Amino acid sequence: MAETKYIFVTGGVSSSLGKGIIAASLAKLLQARGFKTTIQKLDPYINVDPGTLNPYEHGECYVTEDGAETDLDLGHYERFLNVNTSQANNVTTGRIYQSVIEKERRGEFLGKTVQVVPHITNEIKERIQILGNKGHYDIVITEIGGTVGDIESLPYIEAVRQLKWELGDDNALVIHLTLVPFLSAAGELKTKPTQHSVKTLMESGIKADILVCRTEHELSDDIRRKLAIFCNVRQEAVIQSIDADTIYDVPNMMLKEGLDSVTLKKLNLPDDSTPNLKHWNNFLERHKNPKAEVRIGLIGKYVELQDSYKSILESFIHAGAENEVFVNVESIHSEFINENTIQHKIAHLDGILVAPGFGERGVEGKIDAVRFARENKLPFLGICLGMQMAVIEFARNVMQLKNASSTEMDAHTKHPVIDIMEEQKNITHMGGTMRLGAWDCKLAEGSIIKDAYKKDEIKERHRHRYEYNNKYREQLEKAGMASTGVNPETGLVEVIELKEHPWFVGVQYHPEYKSTVASPHPLFVAFVKAAHEHSKIKSAKLAHKS
């Protein structure tokens, strides 16, 4: 293709309707037809990136291969497309304004008065087209965060209006995701919220080309016709997005609705092939028809909000399908784990994952959970802070280093088995100061981790400030905690294992960021397999007793 086509996805009526899933599903269908497709997210908040946001505010912070701290929707994009995203795939208002202000300070605007139009909107248009101008993609899908009518979103909407006019009708289209609520008192679906949302969009100079309607009930032909007439779209462009059992059903649902066909016709692209979803549907078949079940405890401190650990939960779905088991994840708040509650909360599980996090709240509960897993030979996976808790627990209870800790939680600990990187000690600003993005790791022969990856060297994504303290490495290894993954350049320990345990692994990196439908992460696959083996052994013992 000579010219990149652009698709803009906006939302109306309500937030959390699933713009990211619709964008990812459409991208999957277009990719399955052979089009080179990518997705980007424009976020209207003023933070430069989500790196300093509390997970309760905005869900997890997703990290790309190039070290960008981004919106969690980029995780959906990668899981659906199996293609890496980058800094260019996520833009925030904070980053836009920061860039424009820096240009103004350098005198690039030649003394002009800097305004939202044209300077902010020009910066947005430039960011939208960065991916398309590289010549790597046939289609770029841009998801606009927030809801139409929000003050924060107005510059993005204006930039889309301008771009749509500049690019021409065949090169850009707008998909508007909206809500068609069911009023139980009236016993019917209501189209008025959608009509008002489309009207608000039109007041900004943008006509929706396709309507995707989130609904709990089937849209009748009459309702589709009504929406088409009042919202000024073709009836075939009124797409139903009904509640699904799993987000991975949505591409097939959109295929059935013809979203990809309508899109291609409006972009004047050939609609003469059928999406190849064979691998995708094989995954769905295994996911929906498991042969067994395992219970895994997710020990964290943000468990009230599922989006806080979104990538981990999705990784379990991928790994479960690969093992043909259903992974029943029990979220357990680490603040409520102690000597009195641990037996009730953890003993029945087939494995535990101690999740990442920052700060001292809830760490003692995580340490207690690690100890239970170590002493009871329960399959264990520690990620980032979870790995650090495993080191601290081992130092305290096996090596008898009283009050061993991380300097993140105790700056004056006598035994800082986890410590801040030297180059970070003088940094006071929080944003973007961590070890981020993909780093190399060399794996030890005969280790659990090497058996999981089937490789000598791996490259995994990081997001942390504190590290395993190599000053204690010799002591820890002599006591039985093996360092089975090491960064070849820095010598920093990336993976720890326990020699006297059937499956106990802690990793400094975040494997969940790289798990996709097409490539379930090998570490999660191995962990779920170990939990399944533990479950079978436990069941056999119970059967023998009875």
Side-chain angles (χ1 to χ4, degrees), residues 118-137:
H119 301 97
I120 296 298
T121 50
N122 283 349
E123 184 75 20
I124 293 170
K125 288 191 292 183
E126 185 181 313
R127 297 300 181 103
I128 287 171
Q129 294 177 95
I130 283 176
L131 293 166
N133 290 339
K134 288 181 178 179
H136 299 158
Y137 302 105

mmCIF file with all atom_site columns, all heavy atoms in Angstrom, residues 118-137:
data_model
loop_
_atom_site.group_PDB
_atom_site.id
_atom_site.type_symbol
_atom_site.label_atom_id
_atom_site.label_alt_id
_atom_site.label_comp_id
_atom_site.label_asym_id
_atom_site.label_entity_id
_atom_site.label_seq_id
_atom_site.pdbx_PDB_ins_code
_atom_site.Cartn_x
_atom_site.Cartn_y
_atom_site.Cartn_z
_atom_site.occupancy
_atom_site.B_iso_or_equiv
_atom_site.pdbx_formal_charge
_atom_site.auth_seq_id
_atom_site.auth_comp_id
_atom_site.auth_asym_id
_atom_site.auth_atom_id
_atom_site.pdbx_PDB_model_num
ATOM 1   N N   . PRO A 1 118 ? -3.042 26.712 16.646 1.00 0.00 ? 118 PRO A N   1
ATOM 2   C CA  . PRO A 1 118 ? -2.696 25.445 15.995 1.00 0.00 ? 118 PRO A CA  1
ATOM 3   C C   . PRO A 1 118 ? -1.599 24.636 16.685 1.00 0.00 ? 118 PRO A C   1
ATOM 4   O O   . PRO A 1 118 ? -1.305 23.512 16.268 1.00 0.00 ? 118 PRO A O   1
ATOM 5   C CB  . PRO A 1 118 ? -2.182 25.923 14.635 1.00 0.00 ? 118 PRO A CB  1
ATOM 6   C CG  . PRO A 1 118 ? -1.448 27.186 14.977 1.00 0.00 ? 118 PRO A CG  1
ATOM 7   C CD  . PRO A 1 118 ? -2.246 27.836 16.083 1.00 0.00 ? 118 PRO A CD  1
ATOM 8   N N   . HIS A 1 119 ? -0.943 25.187 17.722 1.00 0.00 ? 119 HIS A N   1
ATOM 9   C CA  . HIS A 1 119 ? 0.301  24.561 18.182 1.00 0.00 ? 119 HIS A CA  1
ATOM 10  C C   . HIS A 1 119 ? 0.088  23.221 18.887 1.00 0.00 ? 119 HIS A C   1
ATOM 11  O O   . HIS A 1 119 ? 0.789  22.245 18.603 1.00 0.00 ? 119 HIS A O   1
ATOM 12  C CB  . HIS A 1 119 ? 1.054  25.543 19.082 1.00 0.00 ? 119 HIS A CB  1
ATOM 13  C CG  . HIS A 1 119 ? 1.389  26.821 18.379 1.00 0.00 ? 119 HIS A CG  1
ATOM 14  N ND1 . HIS A 1 119 ? 0.610  27.958 18.508 1.00 0.00 ? 119 HIS A ND1 1
ATOM 15  C CD2 . HIS A 1 119 ? 2.375  27.130 17.509 1.00 0.00 ? 119 HIS A CD2 1
ATOM 16  C CE1 . HIS A 1 119 ? 1.126  28.919 17.765 1.00 0.00 ? 119 HIS A CE1 1
ATOM 17  N NE2 . HIS A 1 119 ? 2.199  28.446 17.146 1.00 0.00 ? 119 HIS A NE2 1
ATOM 18  N N   . ILE A 1 120 ? -0.869 23.163 19.814 1.00 0.00 ? 120 ILE A N   1
ATOM 19  C CA  . ILE A 1 120 ? -1.141 21.881 20.497 1.00 0.00 ? 120 ILE A CA  1
ATOM 20  C C   . ILE A 1 120 ? -1.718 20.869 19.514 1.00 0.00 ? 120 ILE A C   1
ATOM 21  O O   . ILE A 1 120 ? -1.296 19.703 19.472 1.00 0.00 ? 120 ILE A O   1
ATOM 22  C CB  . ILE A 1 120 ? -2.095 22.095 21.686 1.00 0.00 ? 120 ILE A CB  1
ATOM 23  C CG1 . ILE A 1 120 ? -1.445 22.988 22.749 1.00 0.00 ? 120 ILE A CG1 1
ATOM 24  C CG2 . ILE A 1 120 ? -2.514 20.750 22.280 1.00 0.00 ? 120 ILE A CG2 1
ATOM 25  C CD1 . ILE A 1 120 ? -0.190 22.422 23.382 1.00 0.00 ? 120 ILE A CD1 1
ATOM 26  N N   . THR A 1 121 ? -2.676 21.308 18.696 1.00 0.00 ? 121 THR A N   1
ATOM 27  C CA  . THR A 1 121 ? -3.290 20.374 17.738 1.00 0.00 ? 121 THR A CA  1
ATOM 28  C C   . THR A 1 121 ? -2.276 19.902 16.694 1.00 0.00 ? 121 THR A C   1
ATOM 29  O O   . THR A 1 121 ? -2.315 18.746 16.268 1.00 0.00 ? 121 THR A O   1
ATOM 30  C CB  . THR A 1 121 ? -4.506 21.015 17.051 1.00 0.00 ? 121 THR A CB  1
ATOM 31  O OG1 . THR A 1 121 ? -4.147 22.302 16.544 1.00 0.00 ? 121 THR A OG1 1
ATOM 32  C CG2 . THR A 1 121 ? -5.664 21.167 18.015 1.00 0.00 ? 121 THR A CG2 1
ATOM 33  N N   . ASN A 1 122 ? -1.360 20.762 16.290 1.00 0.00 ? 122 ASN A N   1
ATOM 34  C CA  . ASN A 1 122 ? -0.315 20.335 15.345 1.00 0.00 ? 122 ASN A CA  1
ATOM 35  C C   . ASN A 1 122 ? 0.583  19.276 15.962 1.00 0.00 ? 122 ASN A C   1
ATOM 36  O O   . ASN A 1 122 ? 0.990  18.320 15.297 1.00 0.00 ? 122 ASN A O   1
ATOM 37  C CB  . ASN A 1 122 ? 0.535  21.536 14.901 1.00 0.00 ? 122 ASN A CB  1
ATOM 38  C CG  . ASN A 1 122 ? -0.166 22.401 13.875 1.00 0.00 ? 122 ASN A CG  1
ATOM 39  O OD1 . ASN A 1 122 ? -1.205 22.017 13.336 1.00 0.00 ? 122 ASN A OD1 1
ATOM 40  N ND2 . ASN A 1 122 ? 0.382  23.573 13.609 1.00 0.00 ? 122 ASN A ND2 1
ATOM 41  N N   . GLU A 1 123 ? 0.903  19.459 17.249 1.00 0.00 ? 123 GLU A N   1
ATOM 42  C CA  . GLU A 1 123 ? 1.745  18.469 17.945 1.00 0.00 ? 123 GLU A CA  1
ATOM 43  C C   . GLU A 1 123 ? 1.017  17.121 18.023 1.00 0.00 ? 123 GLU A C   1
ATOM 44  O O   . GLU A 1 123 ? 1.619  16.068 17.811 1.00 0.00 ? 123 GLU A O   1
ATOM 45  C CB  . GLU A 1 123 ? 2.068  18.967 19.356 1.00 0.00 ? 123 GLU A CB  1
ATOM 46  C CG  . GLU A 1 123 ? 3.014  18.075 20.140 1.00 0.00 ? 123 GLU A CG  1
ATOM 47  C CD  . GLU A 1 123 ? 4.461  18.159 19.704 1.00 0.00 ? 123 GLU A CD  1
ATOM 48  O OE1 . GLU A 1 123 ? 4.843  19.162 19.055 1.00 0.00 ? 123 GLU A OE1 1
ATOM 49  O OE2 . GLU A 1 123 ? 5.209  17.205 20.000 1.00 0.00 ? 123 GLU A OE2 1
ATOM 50  N N   . ILE A 1 124 ? -0.290 17.164 18.306 1.00 0.00 ? 124 ILE A N   1
ATOM 51  C CA  . ILE A 1 124 ? -1.080 15.922 18.363 1.00 0.00 ? 124 ILE A CA  1
ATOM 52  C C   . ILE A 1 124 ? -1.100 15.247 16.994 1.00 0.00 ? 124 ILE A C   1
ATOM 53  O O   . ILE A 1 124 ? -0.886 14.031 16.889 1.00 0.00 ? 124 ILE A O   1
ATOM 54  C CB  . ILE A 1 124 ? -2.525 16.224 18.841 1.00 0.00 ? 124 ILE A CB  1
ATOM 55  C CG1 . ILE A 1 124 ? -2.512 16.685 20.301 1.00 0.00 ? 124 ILE A CG1 1
ATOM 56  C CG2 . ILE A 1 124 ? -3.405 14.980 18.683 1.00 0.00 ? 124 ILE A CG2 1
ATOM 57  C CD1 . ILE A 1 124 ? -3.841 17.242 20.787 1.00 0.00 ? 124 ILE A CD1 1
ATOM 58  N N   . LYS A 1 125 ? -1.333 16.014 15.937 1.00 0.00 ? 125 LYS A N   1
ATOM 59  C CA  . LYS A 1 125 ? -1.374 15.434 14.585 1.00 0.00 ? 125 LYS A CA  1
ATOM 60  C C   . LYS A 1 125 ? -0.038 14.815 14.210 1.00 0.00 ? 125 LYS A C   1
ATOM 61  O O   . LYS A 1 125 ? 0.009  13.737 13.598 1.00 0.00 ? 125 LYS A O   1
ATOM 62  C CB  . LYS A 1 125 ? -1.760 16.513 13.567 1.00 0.00 ? 125 LYS A CB  1
ATOM 63  C CG  . LYS A 1 125 ? -3.226 16.948 13.646 1.00 0.00 ? 125 LYS A CG  1
ATOM 64  C CD  . LYS A 1 125 ? -3.639 17.808 12.455 1.00 0.00 ? 125 LYS A CD  1
ATOM 65  C CE  . LYS A 1 125 ? -2.972 19.148 12.467 1.00 0.00 ? 125 LYS A CE  1
ATOM 66  N NZ  . LYS A 1 125 ? -3.418 20.003 11.346 1.00 0.00 ? 125 LYS A NZ  1
ATOM 67  N N   . GLU A 1 126 ? 1.038  15.478 14.631 1.00 0.00 ? 126 GLU A N   1
ATOM 68  C CA  . GLU A 1 126 ? 2.368  14.946 14.353 1.00 0.00 ? 126 GLU A CA  1
ATOM 69  C C   . GLU A 1 126 ? 2.574  13.608 15.058 1.00 0.00 ? 126 GLU A C   1
ATOM 70  O O   . GLU A 1 126 ? 3.095  12.660 14.474 1.00 0.00 ? 126 GLU A O   1
ATOM 71  C CB  . GLU A 1 126 ? 3.420  15.960 14.823 1.00 0.00 ? 126 GLU A CB  1
ATOM 72  C CG  . GLU A 1 126 ? 4.851  15.583 14.485 1.00 0.00 ? 126 GLU A CG  1
ATOM 73  C CD  . GLU A 1 126 ? 5.841  16.622 14.987 1.00 0.00 ? 126 GLU A CD  1
ATOM 74  O OE1 . GLU A 1 126 ? 5.591  17.834 14.764 1.00 0.00 ? 126 GLU A OE1 1
ATOM 75  O OE2 . GLU A 1 126 ? 6.835  16.229 15.619 1.00 0.00 ? 126 GLU A OE2 1
ATOM 76  N N   . ARG A 1 127 ? 2.137  13.531 16.319 1.00 0.00 ? 127 ARG A N   1
ATOM 77  C CA  . ARG A 1 127 ? 2.290  12.281 17.093 1.00 0.00 ? 127 ARG A CA  1
ATOM 78  C C   . ARG A 1 127 ? 1.428  11.164 16.500 1.00 0.00 ? 127 ARG A C   1
ATOM 79  O O   . ARG A 1 127 ? 1.842  10.006 16.475 1.00 0.00 ? 127 ARG A O   1
ATOM 80  C CB  . ARG A 1 127 ? 1.903  12.510 18.554 1.00 0.00 ? 127 ARG A CB  1
ATOM 81  C CG  . ARG A 1 127 ? 2.761  13.509 19.313 1.00 0.00 ? 127 ARG A CG  1
ATOM 82  C CD  . ARG A 1 127 ? 4.219  13.103 19.378 1.00 0.00 ? 127 ARG A CD  1
ATOM 83  N NE  . ARG A 1 127 ? 5.020  14.053 20.124 1.00 0.00 ? 127 ARG A NE  1
ATOM 84  C CZ  . ARG A 1 127 ? 5.455  13.866 21.366 1.00 0.00 ? 127 ARG A CZ  1
ATOM 85  N NH1 . ARG A 1 127 ? 5.152  12.765 22.021 1.00 0.00 ? 127 ARG A NH1 1
ATOM 86  N NH2 . ARG A 1 127 ? 6.201  14.785 21.956 1.00 0.00 ? 127 ARG A NH2 1
ATOM 87  N N   . ILE A 1 128 ? 0.225  11.509 16.043 1.00 0.00 ? 128 ILE A N   1
ATOM 88  C CA  . ILE A 1 128 ? -0.657 10.498 15.451 1.00 0.00 ? 128 ILE A CA  1
ATOM 89  C C   . ILE A 1 128 ? -0.017 9.880  14.215 1.00 0.00 ? 128 ILE A C   1
ATOM 90  O O   . ILE A 1 128 ? -0.121 8.676  13.971 1.00 0.00 ? 128 ILE A O   1
ATOM 91  C CB  . ILE A 1 128 ? -2.027 11.131 15.084 1.00 0.00 ? 128 ILE A CB  1
ATOM 92  C CG1 . ILE A 1 128 ? -2.843 11.416 16.359 1.00 0.00 ? 128 ILE A CG1 1
ATOM 93  C CG2 . ILE A 1 128 ? -2.823 10.208 14.155 1.00 0.00 ? 128 ILE A CG2 1
ATOM 94  C CD1 . ILE A 1 128 ? -4.102 12.220 16.116 1.00 0.00 ? 128 ILE A CD1 1
ATOM 95  N N   . GLN A 1 129 ? 0.697  10.711 13.441 1.00 0.00 ? 129 GLN A N   1
ATOM 96  C CA  . GLN A 1 129 ? 1.235  10.256 12.156 1.00 0.00 ? 129 GLN A CA  1
ATOM 97  C C   . GLN A 1 129 ? 2.651  9.695  12.230 1.00 0.00 ? 129 GLN A C   1
ATOM 98  O O   . GLN A 1 129 ? 3.176  9.225  11.216 1.00 0.00 ? 129 GLN A O   1
ATOM 99  C CB  . GLN A 1 129 ? 1.188  11.413 11.147 1.00 0.00 ? 129 GLN A CB  1
ATOM 100 C CG  . GLN A 1 129 ? -0.237 11.829 10.791 1.00 0.00 ? 129 GLN A CG  1
ATOM 101 C CD  . GLN A 1 129 ? -0.289 13.004 9.854  1.00 0.00 ? 129 GLN A CD  1
ATOM 102 O OE1 . GLN A 1 129 ? -0.385 12.840 8.641  1.00 0.00 ? 129 GLN A OE1 1
ATOM 103 N NE2 . GLN A 1 129 ? -0.206 14.210 10.402 1.00 0.00 ? 129 GLN A NE2 1
ATOM 104 N N   . ILE A 1 130 ? 3.268  9.724  13.416 1.00 0.00 ? 130 ILE A N   1
ATOM 105 C CA  . ILE A 1 130 ? 4.640  9.201  13.538 1.00 0.00 ? 130 ILE A CA  1
ATOM 106 C C   . ILE A 1 130 ? 4.724  7.753  13.058 1.00 0.00 ? 130 ILE A C   1
ATOM 107 O O   . ILE A 1 130 ? 5.604  7.382  12.274 1.00 0.00 ? 130 ILE A O   1
ATOM 108 C CB  . ILE A 1 130 ? 5.141  9.313  14.992 1.00 0.00 ? 130 ILE A CB  1
ATOM 109 C CG1 . ILE A 1 130 ? 5.542  10.755 15.306 1.00 0.00 ? 130 ILE A CG1 1
ATOM 110 C CG2 . ILE A 1 130 ? 6.335  8.378  15.232 1.00 0.00 ? 130 ILE A CG2 1
ATOM 111 C CD1 . ILE A 1 130 ? 5.958  10.982 16.744 1.00 0.00 ? 130 ILE A CD1 1
ATOM 112 N N   . LEU A 1 131 ? 3.793  6.919  13.520 1.00 0.00 ? 131 LEU A N   1
ATOM 113 C CA  . LEU A 1 131 ? 3.828  5.498  13.148 1.00 0.00 ? 131 LEU A CA  1
ATOM 114 C C   . LEU A 1 131 ? 3.537  5.297  11.663 1.00 0.00 ? 131 LEU A C   1
ATOM 115 O O   . LEU A 1 131 ? 4.163  4.469  11.004 1.00 0.00 ? 131 LEU A O   1
ATOM 116 C CB  . LEU A 1 131 ? 2.830  4.709  14.002 1.00 0.00 ? 131 LEU A CB  1
ATOM 117 C CG  . LEU A 1 131 ? 3.166  4.624  15.499 1.00 0.00 ? 131 LEU A CG  1
ATOM 118 C CD1 . LEU A 1 131 ? 1.959  4.130  16.289 1.00 0.00 ? 131 LEU A CD1 1
ATOM 119 C CD2 . LEU A 1 131 ? 4.353  3.702  15.731 1.00 0.00 ? 131 LEU A CD2 1
ATOM 120 N N   . GLY A 1 132 ? 2.569  6.055  11.141 1.00 0.00 ? 132 GLY A N   1
ATOM 121 C CA  . GLY A 1 132 ? 2.215  5.935  9.731  1.00 0.00 ? 132 GLY A CA  1
ATOM 122 C C   . GLY A 1 132 ? 3.323  6.407  8.812  1.00 0.00 ? 132 GLY A C   1
ATOM 123 O O   . GLY A 1 132 ? 3.564  5.815  7.743  1.00 0.00 ? 132 GLY A O   1
ATOM 124 N N   . ASN A 1 133 ? 4.051  7.450  9.216  1.00 0.00 ? 133 ASN A N   1
ATOM 125 C CA  . ASN A 1 133 ? 5.110  8.009  8.375  1.00 0.00 ? 133 ASN A CA  1
ATOM 126 C C   . ASN A 1 133 ? 6.341  7.117  8.278  1.00 0.00 ? 133 ASN A C   1
ATOM 127 O O   . ASN A 1 133 ? 7.186  7.314  7.399  1.00 0.00 ? 133 ASN A O   1
ATOM 128 C CB  . ASN A 1 133 ? 5.523  9.390  8.895  1.00 0.00 ? 133 ASN A CB  1
ATOM 129 C CG  . ASN A 1 133 ? 4.440  10.434 8.676  1.00 0.00 ? 133 ASN A CG  1
ATOM 130 O OD1 . ASN A 1 133 ? 3.569  10.253 7.832  1.00 0.00 ? 133 ASN A OD1 1
ATOM 131 N ND2 . ASN A 1 133 ? 4.473  11.517 9.429  1.00 0.00 ? 133 ASN A ND2 1
ATOM 132 N N   . LYS A 1 134 ? 6.443  6.143  9.180  1.00 0.00 ? 134 LYS A N   1
ATOM 133 C CA  . LYS A 1 134 ? 7.588  5.235  9.125  1.00 0.00 ? 134 LYS A CA  1
ATOM 134 C C   . LYS A 1 134 ? 7.506  4.276  7.945  1.00 0.00 ? 134 LYS A C   1
ATOM 135 O O   . LYS A 1 134 ? 8.504  3.655  7.564  1.00 0.00 ? 134 LYS A O   1
ATOM 136 C CB  . LYS A 1 134 ? 7.679  4.428  10.429 1.00 0.00 ? 134 LYS A CB  1
ATOM 137 C CG  . LYS A 1 134 ? 8.141  5.251  11.622 1.00 0.00 ? 134 LYS A CG  1
ATOM 138 C CD  . LYS A 1 134 ? 8.227  4.398  12.876 1.00 0.00 ? 134 LYS A CD  1
ATOM 139 C CE  . LYS A 1 134 ? 8.741  5.224  14.061 1.00 0.00 ? 134 LYS A CE  1
ATOM 140 N NZ  . LYS A 1 134 ? 8.807  4.427  15.315 1.00 0.00 ? 134 LYS A NZ  1
ATOM 141 N N   . GLY A 1 135 ? 6.295  4.136  7.388  1.00 0.00 ? 135 GLY A N   1
ATOM 142 C CA  . GLY A 1 135 ? 6.128  3.252  6.244  1.00 0.00 ? 135 GLY A CA  1
ATOM 143 C C   . GLY A 1 135 ? 6.033  1.779  6.595  1.00 0.00 ? 135 GLY A C   1
ATOM 144 O O   . GLY A 1 135 ? 6.060  0.915  5.725  1.00 0.00 ? 135 GLY A O   1
ATOM 145 N N   . HIS A 1 136 ? 5.890  1.473  7.893  1.00 0.00 ? 136 HIS A N   1
ATOM 146 C CA  . HIS A 1 136 ? 5.822  0.075  8.337  1.00 0.00 ? 136 HIS A CA  1
ATOM 147 C C   . HIS A 1 136 ? 4.395  -0.456 8.381  1.00 0.00 ? 136 HIS A C   1
ATOM 148 O O   . HIS A 1 136 ? 4.196  -1.671 8.479  1.00 0.00 ? 136 HIS A O   1
ATOM 149 C CB  . HIS A 1 136 ? 6.442  -0.073 9.735  1.00 0.00 ? 136 HIS A CB  1
ATOM 150 C CG  . HIS A 1 136 ? 7.892  0.302  9.791  1.00 0.00 ? 136 HIS A CG  1
ATOM 151 N ND1 . HIS A 1 136 ? 8.520  0.670  10.965 1.00 0.00 ? 136 HIS A ND1 1
ATOM 152 C CD2 . HIS A 1 136 ? 8.830  0.367  8.820  1.00 0.00 ? 136 HIS A CD2 1
ATOM 153 C CE1 . HIS A 1 136 ? 9.781  0.947  10.705 1.00 0.00 ? 136 HIS A CE1 1
ATOM 154 N NE2 . HIS A 1 136 ? 9.991  0.775  9.425  1.00 0.00 ? 136 HIS A NE2 1
ATOM 155 N N   . TYR A 1 137 ? 3.413  0.441  8.337  1.00 0.00 ? 137 TYR A N   1
ATOM 156 C CA  . TYR A 1 137 ? 2.039  0.011  8.574  1.00 0.00 ? 137 TYR A CA  1
ATOM 157 C C   . TYR A 1 137 ? 1.098  0.462  7.458  1.00 0.00 ? 137 TYR A C   1
ATOM 158 O O   . TYR A 1 137 ? 1.222  1.555  6.916  1.00 0.00 ? 137 TYR A O   1
ATOM 159 C CB  . TYR A 1 137 ? 1.529  0.562  9.914  1.00 0.00 ? 137 TYR A CB  1
ATOM 160 C CG  . TYR A 1 137 ? 2.377  0.132  11.086 1.00 0.00 ? 137 TYR A CG  1
ATOM 161 C CD1 . TYR A 1 137 ? 3.256  1.024  11.694 1.00 0.00 ? 137 TYR A CD1 1
ATOM 162 C CD2 . TYR A 1 137 ? 2.305  -1.170 11.561 1.00 0.00 ? 137 TYR A CD2 1
ATOM 163 C CE1 . TYR A 1 137 ? 4.045  0.623  12.753 1.00 0.00 ? 137 TYR A CE1 1
ATOM 164 C CE2 . TYR A 1 137 ? 3.095  -1.582 12.626 1.00 0.00 ? 137 TYR A CE2 1
ATOM 165 C CZ  . TYR A 1 137 ? 3.966  -0.685 13.219 1.00 0.00 ? 137 TYR A CZ  1
ATOM 166 O OH  . TYR A 1 137 ? 4.747  -1.086 14.263 1.00 0.00 ? 137 TYR A OH  1
#
